[in-house]
Amino acid sequence: MSLVDTHAHLDQEEFDPDRDLAISRALEAGIETIVAIGVTAASSQAVVTLASENPAVVAAVGIHPNYAAEVQPGDWDRVVALLDQPKVHALGETGLDCYRDYAPLPLQQDYFDRHIRLSQARDVPFIVHTRESENEILAMLEEARRRGPLRGVMHSFTGSSTLAETCLALGMYISFAGMVTFKKSDDLRAVAAKIPGERILLETDSPYLSPHPLRGKRNEPANIVHTLNVVAEARGQSAAELGRQTTENARRLFKLTSRG
């Protein structure tokens, strides 16, 4: 069974002691591709370099909303230029965060809009971070959809079935991370059970959000198998069937080539 981890922060310092080993463990666990996510211009360059050195890694480049206030002159141009690198398959992590007060909302909205417009112009998927910002996110996605099709993913989804249905109607994919495995996450598992098979994705968001039974430990791409098993059970599918579906979906959205 081949899997895709559609969201991992492999460049972050938590992986400095054993980054290569973590990637090797992912391959042993059946992960064919890891999408390494940039959050700043420097981080985006780091994941592009990492992807150039590892056949199993591709990169997403962008400015995370929590870092929008730290952007320096030329940083956005650096992100745009990185799109021309051969192993860059997505934009992001972008979106809006109204939980942390790291950047003014209008500034976050400016950068989110830039990512969406660039996605539409270049036909590259965008990866959306949402935290206590559902209404604001939907308003911008609906406005963007009036300009043209949307190609993107709601990453580490924790919202309601109503939010999921709205995002699906706009053309977005829905991705689930370790939180769907937590004992208290019955409602989220119920949402995951209803996502159409052609629109569901899996991720780790590592080094964060370790799934049950690994909570409290650093997360890594190999741990996606725990999320796969829990979501498959919630959907009444075998892990093999859901693995095949989510891998096909990831290949389609991110324009990945099968490595199997």
Side-chain angles (χ1 to χ4, degrees):
M1 179 170 55
S2 293
L3 301 172
V4 176
D5 182 356
T6 62
H7 199 109
H9 297 279
L10 286 177
D11 64 304
Q12 295 198 3
E13 62 182 12
E14 289 89 344
F15 286 110
D16 287 351
D18 65 343
R19 185 173 288 105
D20 290 342
L21 288 173
I23 294 172
S24 295
R25 287 191 290 268
L27 295 175
E28 292 170 2
I31 287 82
E32 68 175 34
T33 305
I34 305 166
V35 184
I37 308 295
V39 295
T40 65
S43 170
S44 296
Q45 179 61 67
V47 295
V48 169
T49 299
L50 187 62
S52 73
E53 298 169 346
N54 292 272
V57 179
V58 300
V61 298
I63 306 292
H64 190 289
N66 287 338
Y67 294 96
E70 301 176 17
V71 174
Q72 299 298 308
D75 279 358
W76 177 248
D77 291 338
R78 289 172 63 191
V79 169
V80 174
L82 286 171
L83 267 185
D84 293 326
Q85 296 297 310
K87 292 194 72 179
V88 174
H89 287 249
L91 282 162
E93 178 176 354
T94 183
L96 302 175
D97 192 318
C98 296
Y99 175 76
R100 299 191 185 280
D101 189 24
Y102 291 163
L105 182 59
L107 183 61
Q108 295 184 45
Q109 290 170 319
D110 174 37
Y111 278 98
F112 188 28
D113 184 65
R114 295 186 193 202
H115 286 80
I116 299 172
R117 289 179 183 272
L118 186 58
S119 166
Q120 291 177 312
R122 299 285 294 270
D123 191 27
V124 176
F126 62 104
I127 298 165
V128 181
H129 168 99
T130 307
R131 193 161 188 191
E132 296 191 5
S133 55
E134 294 181 359
N135 292 336
E136 293 84 357
I137 289 278
L138 286 179
M140 293 189 67
L141 291 179
E142 288 167 350
E143 178 185 2
R145 182 61 185 86
R146 289 192 285 271
R147 295 193 302 265
L150 298 181
R151 188 167 153 232
V153 54
M154 306 302 291
H155 123 79
S156 190
F157 190 83
T158 58
S160 65
S161 59
T162 300
L163 177 63
E165 290 168 3
T166 303
C167 291
L168 290 166
L170 290 168
M172 303 293 287
Y173 287 67
I174 308 292
S175 180
F176 294 92
M179 281 184 289
V180 77
T181 71
F182 297 173
K183 292 181 180 179
K184 65 180 182 180
S185 295
D186 290 338
D187 289 347
L188 186 57
R189 285 187 286 275
V191 173
K194 296 178 181 178
I195 303 299
E198 68 275 11
R199 294 284 196 87
I200 189 170
L201 297 171
L202 300 175
E203 63 174 274
T204 59
D205 200 13
S206 52
Y208 314 110
L209 299 178
S210 291
H212 177 78
L214 303 173
R215 293 188 68 179
K217 300 180 180 180
R218 185 203 68 179
N219 202 6
E220 62 178 73
N223 295 339
I224 200 170
V225 295
H226 296 284
T227 303
L228 168 70
N229 290 334
V230 168
V231 174
E233 182 178 4
R235 293 171 64 84
Q237 295 179 274
S238 68
E241 181 183 7
L242 181 62
R244 177 188 56 77
Q245 283 186 335
T246 56
T247 296
E248 289 177 356
N249 294 343
R251 289 173 183 165
R252 181 171 62 252
L253 177 63
F254 294 105
K255 295 185 178 178
L256 303 173
T257 300
S258 170
R259 299 182 64 250

